[in-house]
Amino acid sequence: MRSLVFLALFVPAIFVPSIALAEAPNPQIDRLWRAKCSSCHGPDGKGATEQGKKMAVEDMTSPAWQAITDDKIKASVNDGLKREKGGVHQEMEAYKSKLRPEQVDGLVTYIRALKK
Ligand code: HEC
């Protein structure tokens, strides 16, 4: 039992730093996010920006939001979206012609890493 407690407490402490390193965001995608996405979604993905609040942008860090599929993320980024939600007009431009497919893939990974 005691060794289990030891494992539970100390093993994560040893491994967490290396995991954190492995998940450090790709600097190019990080720049892309800050330049093209963060004005609405916020640097942290919470949507707590002036624009984000106006359009009731959702909190991408929440586990409920993260239930979205990778394909849906890509489709919305590529094709943009325009919808009414609870009387709020939500609009995002289509990025297909502005981003390469590998940049969109990078953004999916980036968005996944925002999860709480
Ligand atoms: C002009 C503001 C604005 C910008 C800039 C913007 N978005 Fe959005 N985005 C929105 C709005 C509004 C929504 C719809 C509300 C929501 O789902 O939070 C949305 C929704 C999304 C969704 C969820 C789509 C869905 O199907 O529910 C994803 C993923 C997303 N944006 C990614 C991005 C990425 C990646 C970028 C940068 C390349 C970006 N957005 C830039 C406004 C913006």
Side-chain angles (χ1 to χ4, degrees):
M1 189 57 206
R2 212 173 255 172
S3 61
L4 270 182
V5 171
F6 172 84
L7 279 176
L9 290 177
F10 291 98
V11 170
I14 296 166
F15 284 108
V16 160
S18 59
I19 291 170
L21 266 183
E23 287 185 356
N26 173 330
Q28 278 158 351
I29 300 294
D30 191 44
R31 268 202 301 279
L32 183 63
W33 172 265
R34 286 168 196 280
K36 292 206 187 306
C37 318
S38 69
S39 59
C40 295
H41 292 284
D44 56 3
K46 291 189 175 177
T49 63
E50 199 181 317
Q51 281 268 57
K53 284 182 198 151
K54 250 186 241 167
M55 293 197 284
V57 166
E58 290 180 44
D59 178 359
M60 289 177 163
T61 69
S62 86
W65 190 90
Q66 288 279 343
I68 189 172
T69 63
D70 287 2
D71 285 345
K72 183 79 174 76
I73 294 178
K74 282 189 217 175
S76 295
V77 174
N78 280 322
D79 304 331
L81 54 83
K82 207 171 191 173
R83 62 190 183 203
E84 287 294 312
K85 199 172 173 187
V88 179
H89 178 72
Q90 297 182 320
E91 189 166 359
M92 176 165 82
E93 67 176 303
Y95 288 96
K96 197 162 33 198
S97 60
K98 300 183 174 155
L99 298 174
R100 295 190 303 276
E102 60 273 23
Q103 290 179 304
V104 176
D105 288 342
L107 285 167
V108 172
T109 307
Y110 191 90
I111 287 172
R112 292 299 183 203
L114 295 171
K115 188 174 178 181
K116 269 185 217 148

